C-alpha cells in the first residue's frame, strides 16, 4: 500500500503542477490573424541596440572622476547629448522574469513571453511567434548565440535574418565584458566594409525596411561579475557610448542620408546592486529607452514633466521623460520601417516619440488598435468553435460591428480635425481588446479551479486515511468491496467532464485533473473500515496514556492549520520562519518542563541553536560577496570539525567504529586547504587580478578529494551516529566553503548542528515519556503505533525542509542567487555547469536533513513513513493556498513569485520522497550505543 500511495502521489503532483499553466497562463499566441501596418515609413533602416543588463540610473546619473575619468562627469556623454538635443528618452518598464530571453521577445516580438515556453527551451523558438525581424525586408543581427537564433530560426523566411554570433569562450567572467561588445562593433564595421567588394551585399544594404540588431552583452557580464556600482560597469558603459557615437558617424558617411536612419537604444532588463536579475525589483524592471533619427521626435523642453525622485539626480529635468512598456518598442520599430505589426504584438505605439502631425498619429494609433483587436477576433472565433455555449466578451459581442464603429468614429474625428479625440478612441479600443483577450484566457477558470481544488482535497483525505489505516493491526484489516454499480456512480462525474473536454478539444491533462479525484475517492471508500479502526485505536491509546479526547485532536488540528497558514505568509516574508524557530526553541520548556529540568544542558543547547538559526531568515535574501563572512564561515567549520575530533578521542564508541581519527583529520586538512584557496580566489577576483588556471584546477581537485574517503569507505562503514553526522558534515564543508559568498557556510553549521541535536532531543524525550508513563502505571504504546508526537515531528520535519529552502536566500526569487561563487571555478559563461553548482549548494542542507531524519527514524523505532506522509499532507494544505494565490496580472514581481511558490510547494512530495530514501541510505549501518561492541542497524 505504501508503494502504491507513493507512486500515485508523485504522479498526481507531477500532473497537477501543470494546472496553473493550463488555467492562469494559457498561451497568448494565436495564428491566422490579418495584419496591419502604419503606412508610409519615415525611415529606410532601423538600428536596435540593446545594452544587456543596463540600468538607466547608471547610464544617466553623474559620477565622480575616480569612476569615469579625469574631467568627466557622465559615463555616456554622447547618449546624453542625444537626450538633450536630438531624441526622446524615458524608461522602458519590463515584466517578470527579468531575463534576457523574455526581455528580447517583448522588445522584438511585442508580447510578453509565453509562460509555456519556460519548459520548452531557451536558445531557439519554443513556440512560433512573429517579430519585427520577420516583417522586415532583411535583418542583420550581431551578438550572443543565446539570443540571436530564436529570431532567425523562427522567421517565415530564415534567409531574411542574418546572424553573426561569437562563441561562448568570449563570455568570460574573469575578463572584461568589453570584448563581446568590441566583437559586435567590429562585425558591423566589417559588414559595411565588405559591401564595397560585394555588389549583392551593397544593393541589399541600400534597400528599405532594413533592421540592424546589436546585442551588447558586456554590461550584463560585468554586472554579474563586478556589480553595477563598479568602475568596470561604468567603463563598459563608456565603451558602448563611444562605440555608438562612432557607429552613427560611420553610418551617416556610408549612406550619406542623415535623415533616413532611425536609432533605438534600450536594454532587455536591469540589474540589482548585487549583480543579479530575474525578479520584479525596480532595479531589474527599469531600463533606459533613447530614440532618435528618422521619424522620431526631438526632446520636448517641458521642465520636470515625467520626472520623479528616481530621475531627479540625472540633471535631465529640462526635457520631458516619456515612459513606455517594453512591448511598445516593437510597435514603434514596426512603424519606423513600415513593417506590419507583429501579429501577436500587444504593444501600443508611444506617440510622444513620433515626429509627425497629430493627424498622422491618429491614423497610426487606429492601425495599432485594429492589429490588437484582430487578435481578440481570432481567439474568440477559435474559442467559439470548441465551446458548448460560447459567451463572447460583452463589449465586443459583435466584433465586426465594433470594428466598423471604431473605424467610422476615428475617421469622423480625423475629418473634423478632432485628432486627439480620435487617438483617445483608438487607445480605448486597444484596451478593450486587451481586456477581451484576458477574458478569453480566463474563460474556463471556475470549472478548472474547482476540479483542481477537489483533486487536492481528495489527495489529502487519502493521505490522512492512509495514516490512520496504518494504525490498524495487519491481522484485523478488511476492505470495502466496490460493486459495478458503485463504480459507475464513482466514475459518473469523470465521464461527464470527459465528454465536455472532448467537445472542447481540451488538452489531455484536463482529463487527468478530473481522473485523480475519482481514483482517490474509490481508494478511500475501499479502505474506510481500516481507517475507522485505526482512528478509534489512536483515540483510545491517547485517552489511556494521557487523557486525550476528540476535542484535543480538533484543537491540535486547528493549531496545525493555523501554523500552516503562517507558512504561507513566511513564503512571502522569510522572517516568518524565524518565528517558527523561536517556537521550536521554546517548545520543550512550555510543554515538557519536567524533561527540560532533568536535561537542562540538552534543552538549553536546543533552544540556543534554534535561536541562532532564526537570525539567518532575518538577513536579506540578496547579498553581496563578503570576504570577512567567508573567512568566518570557513573558520567556524574548521573549528567544529576539529572540536569533534578532540571530543571523540575521549569516547569509548570510537574504538569500535570504522571511522578513524585519521579519516577525520584528512577531511579537516582538505577543508583547511579549500578555505585557503577560496580566500585566494575571492581576493584575486575582487582586486581584478588574473587567476591561474592551475589554482582553479587545484580547487576542483579539493572538491573531489573531499568525497573520496567517505565514499570509498561507505560499504564497510559501521558508524556510531555522531560519527556518521561528522563524516557528512566534513564531506560537504569544503563545497560550502568554496561556493559561499556571504553567510551560507555559517548557516550550514547552524543548520547541521540543530538537526543533529534534534535526534538526541527526540530520543531522550521518548525515553522520558516512557519512563514517566511506567512510573504512573499507564499503558506504554508500541513505537509503531500512531501518537500525537508523530504530528509534531511531521510539522518539525516540514518546517525544517522550508528552513533549508529559505535559510540563505529566497528560492522563489532568481535574484537571490549571484554568480560570484561559481565564477571562482568556472570563469566562462556556462549556464548548465554554473546552474548545476548553484543547485548543488542549495541541495546540501537537505542531505544533512535526510541523514538526521533517517537516523532519528531508526532510533525512535520506525516512524518515518507516518511522518513522511503527514508532512506531505501539510505541504499540500499550503499548496492549495498558493494555487489560489497565483497571479496573472498586477505586479509582475508577484506573478513570478506566485508561480515559484506553487511549484515549490506542489513538488515537495518529490523532494520529501528523495529525502525519505536518502535518509534510509545515509542512516544505514548506524548504531546508537556508546559502550561495548557497536551493533549497526
Amino acid at each position: 500500500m505504501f508503494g502504491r500511495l507513493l507512486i500515485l502521489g508523485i504522479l498526481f503532483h507531477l500532473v497537477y503542477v501543470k494546472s496553473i499553466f493550463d488555467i492562469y497562463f494559457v498561451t497568448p499566441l494565436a495564428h491566422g490573424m490579418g495584419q496591419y501596418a502604419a503606412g508610409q515609413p519615415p525611415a529606410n533602416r532601423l538600428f536596435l541596440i540593446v545594452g544587456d543588463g543596463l540600468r538607466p540610473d547608471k547610464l544617466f546619473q553623474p559620477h565622480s572622476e575616480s569612476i569615469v575619468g579625469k574631467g568627466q562627469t557622465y559615463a555616456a556623454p554622447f547618449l546624453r547629448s542625444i537626450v538633450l538635443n536630438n531624441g526622446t528618452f524615458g524608461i522602458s518598464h519590463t515584466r517578470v522574469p527579468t531575463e534576457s530571453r523574455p526581455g528580447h521577445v517583448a522588445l522584438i516580438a511585442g508580447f510578453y513571453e509565453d509562460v509555456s515556453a519556460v519548459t520548452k527551451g531557451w536558445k531557439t523558438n519554443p513556440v512560433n511567434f512573429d517579430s519585427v525581424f520577420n516583417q522586415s525586408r532583411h535583418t542583420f543581427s550581431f551578438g550572443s548565440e543565446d539570443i540571436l537564433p530564436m529570431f532567425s530560426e523562427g522567421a517565415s523566411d530564415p534567409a531574411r535574418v542574418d546572424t553573426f554570433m561569437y562563441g561562448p569562450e568570449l563570455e568570460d567572467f574573469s575578463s572584461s565584458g568589453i570584448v563581446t561588445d568590441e566583437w559586435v562593433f567590429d562585425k558591423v564595421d566589417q559588414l559595411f566594409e565588405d559591401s564595397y567588394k560585394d555588389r549583392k551585399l551593397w544593393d541589399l544594404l541600400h534597400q528599405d525596411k532594413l533592421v540592424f540588431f546589436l546585442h551588447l552583452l558586456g554590461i550584463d557580464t560585468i554586472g554579474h561579475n563586478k556589480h553595477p556600482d563598479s568602475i568596470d560597469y561604468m567603463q563598459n558603459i563608456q565603451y558602448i557610448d563611444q562605440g555608438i557615437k562612432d557607429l552613427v558617424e560611420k553610418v551617416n558617411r556610408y549612406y550619406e542620408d542623415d535623415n533616413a536612419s532611425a536609432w533605438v537604444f534600450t536594454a532587455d532588463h536591469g540589474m540589482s546592486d548585487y549583480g543579479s536579475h530575474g525578479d520584479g525589483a525596480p532595479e531589474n524592471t527599469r531600463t533606459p529607452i533613447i530614440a532618435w533619427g528618422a521619424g522620431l521626435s526631438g526632446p520636448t523642453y517641458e521642465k520636470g514633466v515625467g520626472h520623479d525622485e528616481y530621475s531627479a539626480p540625472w540633471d535631465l529635468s529640462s526635457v520631458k521623460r516619456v515612459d513606455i512598456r517594453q512591448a511598445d518598442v516593437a510597435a514603434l520599430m514596426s512603424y519606423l520601417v513600415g513593417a506590419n505589426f507583429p501579429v501577436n504584438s500587444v504593444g501600443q505605439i508611444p506617440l510622444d516619440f513620433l515626429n509627425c502631425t497629430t493627424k498622422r498619429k491618429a491614423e497610426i494609433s487606429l492601425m495599432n488598435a485594429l492589429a490588437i483587436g484582430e487578435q481578440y477576433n481570432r481567439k474568440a472565433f477559435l474559442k467559439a468553435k470548441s465551446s458548448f455555449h460560447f459567451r463572447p466578451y460583452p463589449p465586443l459581442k459583435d466584433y465586426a460591428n465594433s470594428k466598423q464603429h471604431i473605424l467610422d468614429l476615428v475617421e469622423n474625428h480625423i475629418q473634423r480635425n478632432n485628432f486627439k479625440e480620435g487617438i483617445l478612441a483608438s487607445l480605448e479600443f486597444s484596451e478593450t481588446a486587451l481586456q477581451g483577450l484576458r477574458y478569453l484566457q480566463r474563460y474556463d477558470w471556475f470549472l478548472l479551479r474547482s476540479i483542481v481544488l477537489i483533486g487536492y482535497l481528495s489527495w489529502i483525505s487519502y493521505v490522512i486515511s492512509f495514516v490512520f489505516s496504518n494504525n490498524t493491526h495487519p491481522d484485523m484489516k478488511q476492505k470495502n468491496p466496490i460493486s459495478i454499480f458503485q463504480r459507475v456512480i464513482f466514475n459518473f462525474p469523470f465521464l461527464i467532464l470527459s465528454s465536455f473536454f472532448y467537445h472542447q478539444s481540451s488538452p489531455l491533462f484536463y482529463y487527468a485533473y478530473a481522473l485523480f479525484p475519482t481514483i482517490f475517492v474509490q481508494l478511500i471508500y475501499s479502505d474506510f473500515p481500516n481507517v475507522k479502526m485505526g482512528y478509534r485505536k489512536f483515540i483510545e491509546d491517547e485517552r489511556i496514556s494521557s487523557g486525550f479526547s476528540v476535542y484535543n485532536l480538533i484543537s491540535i488540528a486547528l493549531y496545525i492549520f493555523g501554523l500552516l497558514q503562517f507558512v504561507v505568509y513566511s513564503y512571502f516574508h522569510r522572517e516568518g520562519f524565524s518565528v517558527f524557530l523561536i517556537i521550536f526553541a521554546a517548545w520543550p520548556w512550555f510543554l515538557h518542563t519536567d524533561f527540560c529540568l532533568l536535561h537542562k544542558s540538552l534543552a538549553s543547547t536546543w533552544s540556543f541553536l534554534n535561536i541562532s538559526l532564526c537570525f539567518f531568515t532575518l538577513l536579506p535574501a540578496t547579498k553581496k560577496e563578503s570576504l570577512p563572512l567567508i573567512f568566518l564561515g570557513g573558520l567556524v567549520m574548521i573549528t567544529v570539525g576539529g572540536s569533534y575530533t578532540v571530543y571523540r578521542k575521549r569516547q569509548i564508541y570510537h574504538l569500535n567504529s570504522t571511522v578513524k581519527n585519521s579519516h577525520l583529520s584528512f577531511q579537516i586538512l582538505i577543508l583547511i586547504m579549500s578555505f585557503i584557496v577560496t580566500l585566494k580566489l575571492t581576493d584575486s577576483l575582487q582586486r581584478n587580478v588574473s587567476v591561474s588556471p592551475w589554482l582553479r584546477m587545484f580547487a576542483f581537485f579539493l572538491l573531489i578529494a573531499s568525497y573520496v574517503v567517505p565514499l570509498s569507505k561507505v560499504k564497510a562503514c559501521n558508524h556510531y551516529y555522531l560519527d556518521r553526522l561528522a563524516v557528512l558534515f566534513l564531506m560537504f564543508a569544503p563545497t560550502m566553503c568554496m561556493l559561499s559568498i556571504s553567510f551560507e557556510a555559517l548557516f550550514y553549521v547552524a543548520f547541521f548542528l540543530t538537526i543533529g541535536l534534534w535526534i538526541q532531543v527526540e530520543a531522550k524525550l521518548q525515553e522520558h515519556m516512557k519512563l514517566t508513563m511506567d512510573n504512573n502505571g499507564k499503558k506504554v504504546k508500541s513505537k509503531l503505533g500512531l501518537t500525537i508526537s508523530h504530528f509534531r515531528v511531521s510539522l518539525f520535519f516540514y518546517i525544517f525542509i522550508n528552513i533549508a529552502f529559505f535559510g540563505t536566500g529566497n528560492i522563489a526569487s532568481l535574484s537571490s542567487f549571484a554568480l560570484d561563487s561559481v565564477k571562482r571555478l568556472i570563469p566562462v559563461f556556462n549556464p548548465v555547469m554554473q546552474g548545476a553548482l548553484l543547485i548543488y549548494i542549495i541541495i546540501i542542507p537537505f542531505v544533512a536533513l535526510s541523514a538526521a531524519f533517517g537516523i532519528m527514524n531508526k532510533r525512535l523505532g520506525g516512524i518515518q513513513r507516518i511522518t513522511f506522509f503527514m508532512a506531505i499532507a501539510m505541504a499540500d494544505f499550503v499548496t492549495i493556498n498558493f494555487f489560489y494565490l497565483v497571479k496573472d496580472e498586477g505586479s509582475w514581481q508577484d506573478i513570478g513569485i506566485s508561480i515559484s511558490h506553487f511549484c515549490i510547494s506542489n513538488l515537495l512530495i518529490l523532494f520529501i520522497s528523495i529525502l525519505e530514501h536518502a535518509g534510509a541510505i545515509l542512516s544505514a549501518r548506524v548504531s546508537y550505543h556508546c559502550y561495548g561492541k557497536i551493533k549497526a542497524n
Side-chain angles (χ1 to χ4, degrees):
M1 186 175 178
F2 172 78
R4 180 181 68 185
L5 179 61
L6 184 60
I7 292 171
L8 264 177
I10 291 174
L11 288 175
F12 167 76
H13 287 84
L14 287 176
V15 169
Y16 268 51
V17 76
K18 192 176 182 298
S19 63
I20 62 166
F21 299 102
D22 284 337
I23 296 172
Y24 296 99
F25 303 103
V26 179
T27 175
L29 302 184
H31 302 282
M33 289 85 76
Q35 291 190 290
Y36 293 83
Q40 185 64 31
N44 291 334
R45 67 199 70 89
L46 166 76
F47 288 82
L48 170 64
I49 305 174
V50 177
D52 201 309
L54 177 61
R55 281 172 44 166
D57 56 338
K58 301 301 180 182
L59 178 70
F60 294 125
Q61 71 187 23
H63 302 279
S64 64
E65 290 186 350
S66 61
I67 294 178
V68 294
K70 189 174 182 180
Q72 299 292 322
T73 305
Y74 302 99
F78 173 73
L79 290 173
R80 185 178 180 83
S81 69
I82 294 292
V83 170
L84 292 172
N85 303 296
N86 306 100
T88 302
F89 99 107
I91 291 177
S92 171
H93 296 275
T94 74
R95 290 188 178 185
V96 168
T98 46
E99 296 289 345
S100 291
R101 179 194 163 85
H104 282 91
V105 169
L107 287 170
I108 299 167
F111 73 95
Y112 298 104
E113 179 72 289
D114 178 8
V115 178
S116 66
V118 172
T119 59
K120 299 179 182 177
W122 178 261
K123 294 184 181 180
T124 57
N125 268 355
V127 288
N128 293 322
F129 59 79
D130 193 15
S131 71
V132 175
F133 296 173
N134 193 49
Q135 295 295 334
S136 69
R137 189 178 306 280
H138 202 87
T139 294
F140 300 91
S141 56
F142 309 82
S144 167
E145 64 178 1
D146 294 327
I147 299 299
L148 270 55
M150 66 182 178
F151 296 105
S152 61
E153 296 182 17
S156 57
D157 179 8
R160 182 177 295 178
V161 182
D162 285 341
T163 57
F164 302 86
M165 301 176 291
Y166 47 77
E169 66 278 358
L170 287 186
E171 300 179 39
D172 189 341
F173 286 108
S174 64
S175 64
S176 172
I178 289 175
V179 294
T180 56
D181 299 340
E182 184 179 33
W183 188 96
V184 169
F185 284 122
D186 288 346
K187 281 295 180 181
V188 177
D189 290 346
Q190 184 180 335
L191 178 72
F192 289 116
E193 289 296 325
D194 290 345
S195 70
Y196 291 112
K197 305 173 186 177
D198 186 337
R199 183 65 188 182
K200 186 177 179 181
L201 178 60
W202 173 274
D203 292 340
L204 179 59
L205 287 173
H206 283 78
Q207 295 189 46
D208 61 355
K209 294 186 180 180
L210 295 185
V211 175
F212 297 84
F213 171 45
L214 282 66
H215 174 232
L216 306 177
L217 185 63
I219 291 177
D220 186 71
T221 303
I222 287 296
H224 286 308
N225 188 19
K226 303 297 182 181
H227 304 164
D229 57 358
S230 65
I231 294 176
D232 305 78
Y233 192 87
M234 294 302 115
Q235 289 176 341
N236 212 131
I237 294 176
Q238 289 176 303
Y239 178 81
I240 287 178
D241 182 68
Q242 185 61 44
I244 294 174
K245 178 182 179 182
D246 294 342
L247 179 61
V248 170
E249 294 173 353
K250 291 173 185 176
V251 168
N252 290 340
R253 287 197 302 268
Y254 180 83
Y255 284 108
E256 298 181 346
D257 56 355
D258 294 2
N259 298 320
S261 299
W263 301 80
V264 175
F265 176 73
T266 186
D268 53 347
H269 56 74
M271 185 164 290
S272 72
D273 291 336
Y274 305 96
S276 58
H277 54 82
D279 65 12
E283 294 83 2
N284 296 330
T285 59
R286 289 187 291 218
T287 63
I289 174 76
I290 308 172
W292 72 99
L296 290 158
S297 176
T300 301
Y301 297 103
E302 296 180 358
K303 188 174 179 63
V305 175
H307 290 272
D308 54 20
E309 293 181 359
Y310 180 65
S311 59
W314 302 349
D315 196 22
L316 293 173
S317 58
S318 60
V319 296
K320 181 180 179 180
R321 174 183 136 186
V322 182
D323 286 13
I324 64 172
R325 296 173 299 183
Q326 193 172 48
D328 298 341
V329 177
L332 174 64
M333 294 191 297
S334 298
Y335 157 72
L336 291 173
V337 293
N340 292 328
F341 296 111
V343 293
N344 299 117
S345 172
V346 296
Q348 296 173 305
I349 292 181
L351 300 178
D352 285 344
F353 276 75
L354 307 187
N355 181 20
C356 59
T357 64
T358 310
K359 177 183 178 181
R360 182 78 178 103
K361 290 181 180 180
E363 296 169 344
I364 295 168
S365 184
L366 175 61
M367 292 300 103
N368 192 183
L370 292 176
I372 296 174
E374 185 67 20
Q375 294 181 63
Y376 168 80
N377 185 39
R378 179 61 179 172
K379 294 198 75 171
F381 170 76
L382 295 174
K383 192 67 179 176
K385 283 179 63 177
S386 61
S387 297
F388 277 112
H389 178 64
F390 176 67
R391 301 177 305 279
Y393 184 55
L396 297 174
K397 186 174 182 180
D398 187 339
Y399 182 77
N401 285 338
S402 298
K403 176 182 176 181
Q404 190 59 49
H405 172 72
I406 192 64
L407 277 168
D408 295 341
L409 179 62
V410 175
E411 288 175 358
N412 184 53
H413 280 310
I414 292 174
Q415 289 174 1
R416 295 171 176 268
N417 295 328
N418 297 327
F419 305 127
K420 291 185 178 180
E421 287 80 357
I423 292 172
L424 290 174
S426 295
L427 292 176
E428 182 179 348
F429 183 79
S430 296
E431 290 299 329
T432 301
L434 290 173
Q435 291 169 10
L437 288 171
R438 184 164 300 282
Y439 168 82
L440 294 177
Q441 285 183 290
R442 296 183 173 189
Y443 192 79
D444 295 321
W445 267 28
F446 178 77
L447 174 63
L448 290 174
R449 292 206 296 185
S450 299
I451 292 172
V452 170
L453 174 62
I454 293 170
Y456 275 110
L457 291 177
S458 61
W459 159 253
I460 293 170
S461 300
Y462 181 41
V463 170
I464 294 173
S465 70
F466 167 81
V467 170
F468 284 112
S469 175
N470 205 50
N471 196 43
T472 305
H473 194 280
D475 296 337
M476 299 177 63
K477 288 196 173 184
Q478 52 184 293
K479 293 284 185 180
N480 260 342
I482 303 178
S483 66
I484 295 177
F485 176 75
Q486 288 173 322
R487 289 193 184 278
V488 171
I489 297 298
F490 282 130
N491 287 283
F492 184 73
F494 172 72
L495 294 174
I496 295 296
L497 287 171
S498 296
S499 301
F500 178 77
F501 293 150
Y502 179 79
H503 178 78
Q504 291 202 151
S505 301
S506 300
L508 288 176
F509 273 87
Y510 285 27
Y511 299 88
Y513 301 149
L515 177 61
F516 275 106
T518 305
I519 295 173
F520 294 144
V521 169
Q522 293 181 67
L523 290 172
I524 293 170
Y525 176 80
S526 175
D527 202 39
F528 188 72
N530 302 320
V531 176
K532 188 163 58 174
M533 284 190 291
Y535 169 75
R536 288 175 175 173
K537 181 177 183 297
F538 165 73
I539 293 295
E540 182 64 19
D541 287 345
E542 288 295 332
R543 186 186 64 80
I544 293 173
S545 63
S546 57
F548 193 79
S549 67
V550 175
Y551 300 105
N552 296 123
L553 181 63
I554 294 173
S555 299
I556 291 174
L558 292 174
Y559 176 70
I560 292 176
F561 180 77
L563 289 176
L564 293 177
Q565 294 304 112
F566 194 70
V567 169
V568 176
Y569 169 85
S570 301
Y571 266 68
F572 294 96
H573 306 278
R574 291 170 60 246
E575 60 271 17
F577 287 114
S578 298
V579 175
F580 281 104
L581 291 167
I582 293 172
I583 293 173
F584 289 1
W587 149 69
W589 296 95
F590 282 91
L591 298 183
H592 302 285
T593 308
D594 55 339
F595 168 78
C596 292
L597 294 176
L598 193 62
H599 301 85
K600 291 180 182 177
S601 298
L602 181 64
S604 298
T605 306
W606 164 259
S607 299
F608 171 77
L609 287 175
N610 276 279
I611 294 297
S612 300
L613 193 59
C614 83
F615 286 107
F616 290 97
T617 47
L618 296 175
L619 297 172
T622 51
K623 44 197 175 292
K624 287 187 177 182
E625 189 174 64
S626 171
L627 197 57
L629 284 176
I630 295 171
F631 176 84
L632 181 60
L635 192 62
V636 170
M637 286 192 292
I638 293 170
T639 302
V640 170
S643 298
Y644 178 74
T645 304
V646 173
Y647 165 80
R648 80 185 296 272
K649 286 182 180 179
R650 303 173 184 174
Q651 308 302 313
I652 295 177
Y653 65 79
H654 85 274
L655 299 175
N656 297 318
S657 176
T658 55
V659 175
K660 305 301 179 185
N661 280 336
S662 59
H663 298 159
L664 297 178
S665 298
F666 176 77
Q667 293 298 113
I668 293 173
L669 178 62
I670 294 292
L671 175 57
I672 292 172
M673 289 191 290
S674 300
F675 175 59
I676 295 170
V677 169
T678 301
L679 295 178
K680 175 64 177 174
L681 286 169
T682 305
D683 181 64
S684 297
L685 290 172
Q686 287 185 352
R687 294 189 296 110
N688 290 331
V689 176
S690 178
V691 177
S692 168
W694 292 103
L695 184 60
R696 284 199 171 95
M697 290 177 63
F698 184 59
F700 269 112
F701 168 78
L702 290 174
L703 285 184
I704 296 171
S706 65
Y707 296 90
V708 171
V709 171
L711 295 181
S712 65
K713 301 289 185 181
V714 68
K715 289 186 178 180
C717 69
N718 185 30
H719 296 170
Y720 181 57
Y721 83 98
L722 289 179
D723 276 353
R724 177 65 56 83
L725 293 175
V727 168
L728 290 172
F729 175 82
L730 291 172
M731 183 172 73
F732 292 112
T735 304
M736 290 301 302
C737 180
M738 207 165 288
L739 296 180
S740 293
I741 66 169
S742 184
F743 54 79
E744 296 93 336
L746 292 171
F747 170 79
Y748 172 69
V749 174
F751 186 74
F752 211 112
L753 292 177
T754 303
I755 60 176
L757 191 65
W758 184 33
I759 301 171
Q760 187 72 357
V761 170
E762 293 290 353
K764 291 293 184 182
L765 181 60
Q766 186 186 74
E767 293 173 5
H768 176 77
M769 297 293 289
K770 179 181 178 181
L771 182 62
T772 302
M773 285 188 289
D774 282 341
N775 293 337
N776 293 334
K778 292 185 177 181
K779 176 184 175 182
V780 180
K781 290 170 285 188
S782 166
K783 288 184 178 180
L784 298 178
L786 182 64
T787 67
I788 285 296
S789 65
H790 288 144
F791 291 93
R792 179 183 50 75
V793 172
S794 298
L795 179 65
F796 275 40
F797 178 55
Y798 174 60
I799 296 301
F800 276 131
I801 289 173
N802 285 289
I803 297 295
F805 263 118
F806 293 96
T808 59
N810 186 350
I811 292 293
S813 171
L814 297 175
S815 288
S816 295
F817 306 100
L819 296 176
D820 298 62
S821 59
V822 296
K823 73 188 179 187
R824 298 171 194 156
L825 302 176
I826 306 174
V828 178
F829 180 67
N830 186 324
V832 175
M833 290 295 294
Q834 291 171 332
L837 283 175
L838 285 175
I839 292 173
Y840 183 60
I841 196 173
I842 293 169
I843 288 175
I844 287 176
F846 296 101
V847 178
L849 181 59
S850 299
F853 187 57
I855 291 170
M856 185 175 66
N857 166 61
K858 290 187 174 183
R859 191 167 184 182
L860 298 185
I863 67 169
Q864 192 163 354
R865 287 186 177 181
I866 297 174
T867 52
F868 166 72
F869 279 107
M870 283 183 180
I872 290 174
M874 292 176 185
D876 284 324
F877 269 116
V878 173
T879 301
I880 292 174
N881 284 270
F882 290 139
F883 175 73
Y884 279 94
L885 288 172
V886 170
K887 297 179 181 294
D888 71 329
E889 63 180 357
S891 165
W892 283 90
Q893 180 180 14
D894 292 342
I895 291 174
I897 289 177
S898 68
I899 295 172
S900 300
H901 285 164
F902 172 79
C903 292
I904 291 170
S905 186
N906 182 79
L907 294 176
L908 267 182
I909 184 173
L910 294 178
F911 223 86
I912 295 173
S913 300
I914 294 170
L915 290 180
E916 196 263 348
H917 286 85
I921 295 170
L922 294 171
S923 61
R925 298 182 62 80
V926 171
S927 81
Y928 315 98
H929 307 287
C930 292
Y931 303 103
K933 184 177 180 180
I934 298 177
K935 181 180 180 181
N937 288 334

